[in-house]
Amino acid sequence: QVVCGYGSQDSLPFRAIKEGELYFQEDREVNLVELALATNIPKGCAETTVRVHVSYLDGKGNLEPQGAVPSAVSTLTDDLLKYYQHVTRAVLGDDPHLMKVALQDLQTNSKIAALLPYFVYVVSGVKSVSHDLEQLNRLLHIARSLIQNPFLCLGSYVRSLISSVMYCALEPLAASINPLNDHWTLRDYAAMLLSRIFWTHGDLVSGLYHQILLSLQKVLADPVRPLCSHYGAVVGLHALGWK
């Protein structure tokens, strides 16, 4: 087909490769002198066919009230906005059945790519609820659903998710002060989640492997860190595999 743009009225020639059914555009030689001295300057330009939308995340790590919408949410459709509110309320609410349904839909829904930054933002709220094991577990469940959704491309949000998961695994946590709180299971779950994120999405971020290993090694080798942090580093390394 004809390529629309500056002065390309002719279709580009394609050439086949003998080794297989592969076709590529054959480059034509361009005379730079003629191009520079040409008098037929193109007028106007083609219509814009690519629209870019940039979403900014609030990196403060503050957890919004249940079902609240981050201030950056202004370009979402009403349906997406309602979905976001209902899911966050369901997951962070008091009805376990509703939470299960919401997490399942979050894991399989193919139309929520625009909401990815905002759910990642919700997961980053782990730092503000370190005293509440139940809420920490629920936020990690959201992270797991996002990771397992085959229709979402995590891209640069992998780092943010890993940061939140590693916080649950390595930090002392306010909930750890009470010996009756089973924060060990939370750390086991976070370690498993860390491994899953790395092995399924680690190739999206360069240098992620060494960054994770360095973080775990730093905590493990720090004698000032409490036992629970050392434990988180050990189970994190174990989850990543013996290599």
Side-chain angles (χ1 to χ4, degrees), residues 41-97:
I41 301 175
K43 296 181 180 180
C45 59
E47 293 183 5
T48 303
T49 56
V50 178
R51 306 181 72 179
V52 179
H53 173 68
V54 182
S55 301
Y56 295 95
L57 290 180
D58 184 356
K60 297 178 181 178
N62 297 322
L63 184 67
E64 296 281 345
Q66 293 184 7
V69 183
S71 56
V73 181
S74 58
T75 58
L76 298 178
T77 63
D78 290 340
D79 289 340
L80 282 176
L81 195 56
K82 289 178 181 177
Y83 178 89
Y84 173 84
Q85 292 174 327
H86 288 320
V87 168
T88 49
R89 284 179 186 143
V91 175
L92 302 176
D94 300 323
D95 189 336
H97 174 70

Side-chain angles (χ1 to χ4, degrees), residues 17-42:
I17 291 180
K18 296 179 181 179
E19 289 76 11
E21 296 181 357
L22 180 64
Y23 298 84
F24 66 96
Q25 296 176 0
E26 191 170 19
D27 292 331
R28 292 175 293 185
E29 290 187 3
V30 177
N31 189 319
L32 294 180
V33 176
E34 291 182 2
L35 188 64
L37 300 178
T39 56
N40 57 332
I41 301 175

Side-chain angles (χ1 to χ4, degrees), residues 85-197:
Q85 292 174 327
H86 288 320
V87 168
T88 49
R89 284 179 186 143
V91 175
L92 302 176
D94 300 323
D95 189 336
H97 174 70
L98 206 57
M99 178 187 72
K100 186 176 180 180
V101 172
L103 289 172
Q104 180 63 32
D105 191 77
L106 198 59
Q107 183 178 323
T108 56
N109 199 312
S110 62
K111 302 176 181 179
I112 58 171
L115 291 173
L116 176 61
Y118 310 114
F119 283 121
V120 172
Y121 170 79
V122 172
V123 175
S124 70
V126 292
K127 297 177 183 178
S128 62
V129 291
S130 68
H131 60 283
D132 192 333
L133 284 178
E134 182 66 27
Q135 292 290 62
L136 288 172
N137 268 297
R138 293 182 181 208
L139 292 177
L140 288 184
H141 284 321
I142 293 178
R144 181 176 184 176
S145 294
L146 295 177
I147 296 161
Q148 293 183 326
N149 190 324
F151 303 103
L152 293 179
C153 179
L154 298 183
S156 59
Y157 296 107
V158 169
R159 285 192 185 276
S160 181
L161 287 174
I162 283 184
S163 174
S164 299
V165 171
M166 291 187 74
Y167 179 87
C168 294
L170 301 177
E171 292 303 313
L173 303 178
S176 305
I177 299 174
N178 187 345
L180 298 178
N181 288 335
D182 184 15
H183 58 95
W184 309 103
T185 301
L186 176 75
R187 298 179 194 279
D188 290 341
Y189 183 58
M192 180 276 295
L193 210 52
L194 177 66
S195 173
R196 180 163 295 184
I197 295 174

